[in-house]
Amino acid sequence: MIQTPDVPFIAITTLACVLMIGLGFLPRPSVATAMWSFAFALGTLASYAFLAAGPADSALLRGLGSGIFLPANALIWVGLRAAAGRRRTLWQVAVAYLVVSPVALIATAGTNAYSVTFRADFAVAAVFGALIVVELVRMYPTYRDVVLPMMLAGALFPVFAVYGILEGVMRALSGTTAADDLADVRSVNSVGTGVYLFCAVVSLLLLARHDAPAASGSAGGFDEIARARLVRARAAADEWWSVVEVRLDDPADIRTALGESTFARVAGRFRADVLAELPADADYAEVDETTFVVLVPRSQEAVRRLVIAILERVSLPDPERRLPLRVSASIGWAPAQIVGYELDALRAAATEAASIARAKGGDRWERTTAPCDAAPGVV
């Protein structure tokens, strides 16, 4: 949301930027934290542009500030897609918006067209705000309380966008078309600016620190190690490699039924059970506390025995505490012999197979029979 330039706005945006870079990007560098840090940096630059525009009464600086502030939503959305493991983050859309927004507002600054351009630009930002809420809703079963602050604050954008459009329509009907007819819109938007920034930095910092995948136990990280192993396997025509995704069934329901503390115990036992069954030469990453992705150098028969053993172990009752529900897992299995040696394709195929296993009731495994992009079947 855009507000009139003042010291509190500068303080909020600057603090949010420093926190995101210092506590998010630097300790946990990733595409997601880089996008979020860039978004808050744009907010800081915009606040100083607004400050400079005030004494000078500069429409150009005001248009520049708005033009670089509004696309921050698109960058946050891209970061959320990256954090959620989407195969396509659609960063090109955010970059295009970041170019078009300031150009459009600067080009119309000081003219009667600025009001309409700003309201349209704000509506586009509201669309990305809605997309942010959609991504957060998808992440809610796993992250729950972490995403709630920004989910609620993000819903403000469409509300304020609708207000801005209606206010503009009313002005047009009344014959008011001056270039500076946005005072009321800025005043209303200022109400939500601090709330939105505060909620955003809280949720995104928690996501940044919660979502960092664990390495596979070897230096370099899972992706780097797995790709190197698959390159060597391809060169040696070694087909005894598979990617397996293991998911805890119904984590949201378990959390709701048992509470946070018991859920943490269930998730910890799930992690211990999965790791206990993995062979010593398997590489793994924790996507989150309820999902593992594993690269297994074994024949298909050996992998079949492995996934069955994991399912059996996870479903065993907790000997130390009786639970009112049965814990189970769903497993997706993508063999290199079928999918090929590209890690991204193997992970996508394993993810889709795991989704099918869950859709069939969970507590089972499914093996892909074709690369994911080729509409795989499972057996």
Side-chain angles (χ1 to χ4, degrees), residues 8-244:
F9 184 44
I10 292 175
I12 292 172
T13 55
T14 303
L15 178 61
C17 180
V18 170
L19 288 175
M20 180 53 63
I21 294 174
L23 300 180
F25 177 73
L26 292 180
R28 306 289 176 90
S30 67
V31 172
T33 54
M35 286 292 177
W36 298 335
S37 298
F38 187 28
F40 284 107
L42 288 178
T44 302
L45 292 175
S47 68
Y48 283 96
F50 294 147
L51 179 64
D57 192 22
S58 172
L60 287 176
L61 284 175
R62 194 173 294 115
L64 173 64
S66 298
I68 62 177
F69 185 83
L70 291 173
N73 256 3
L75 297 171
I76 291 175
W77 173 66
V78 170
L80 287 172
R81 289 181 63 83
R86 303 278 185 263
R87 297 186 67 189
R88 298 178 60 198
T89 61
L90 302 178
W91 60 268
Q92 299 92 335
V93 177
V95 171
Y97 183 26
L98 181 57
V99 172
V100 172
S101 175
V103 170
L105 292 179
I106 290 174
T108 58
T111 71
N112 290 338
Y114 181 81
S115 175
V116 175
T117 305
F118 174 84
R119 296 175 203 273
D121 198 351
F122 196 93
V124 174
V127 170
F128 283 103
L131 291 174
I132 286 173
V133 174
V134 170
E135 288 297 330
L136 294 173
V137 168
R138 291 177 177 175
M139 301 169 78
Y140 179 78
T142 299
Y143 298 101
R144 203 173 175 83
D145 297 341
V146 169
V147 302
L148 275 178
M150 192 175 184
M151 188 185 300
L152 297 175
L156 292 174
F157 251 96
V159 174
F160 282 90
V162 170
Y163 167 79
I165 293 173
L166 292 178
E167 197 263 358
V169 171
M170 295 300 294
R171 282 185 173 273
L173 292 176
S174 65
T176 305
T177 58
D180 60 349
D181 64 355
L182 291 169
D184 291 342
V185 172
R186 292 192 183 99
S187 178
V188 172
N189 288 347
S190 67
V191 175
T193 303
V195 174
Y196 182 77
L197 290 173
F198 176 78
C199 292
V201 76
V202 168
S203 285
L204 296 180
L205 278 177
L206 290 174
L207 277 174
R209 303 189 70 84
H210 188 284
D211 194 40
S216 64
S218 305
F222 173 80
D223 284 353
E224 291 77 9
I225 293 173
R227 286 193 172 95
R229 295 192 191 281
L230 290 169
V231 167
R232 293 195 296 271
R234 187 206 303 268
D238 181 0
E239 297 179 339
W240 284 17
W241 292 84
S242 296
V243 168
V244 172

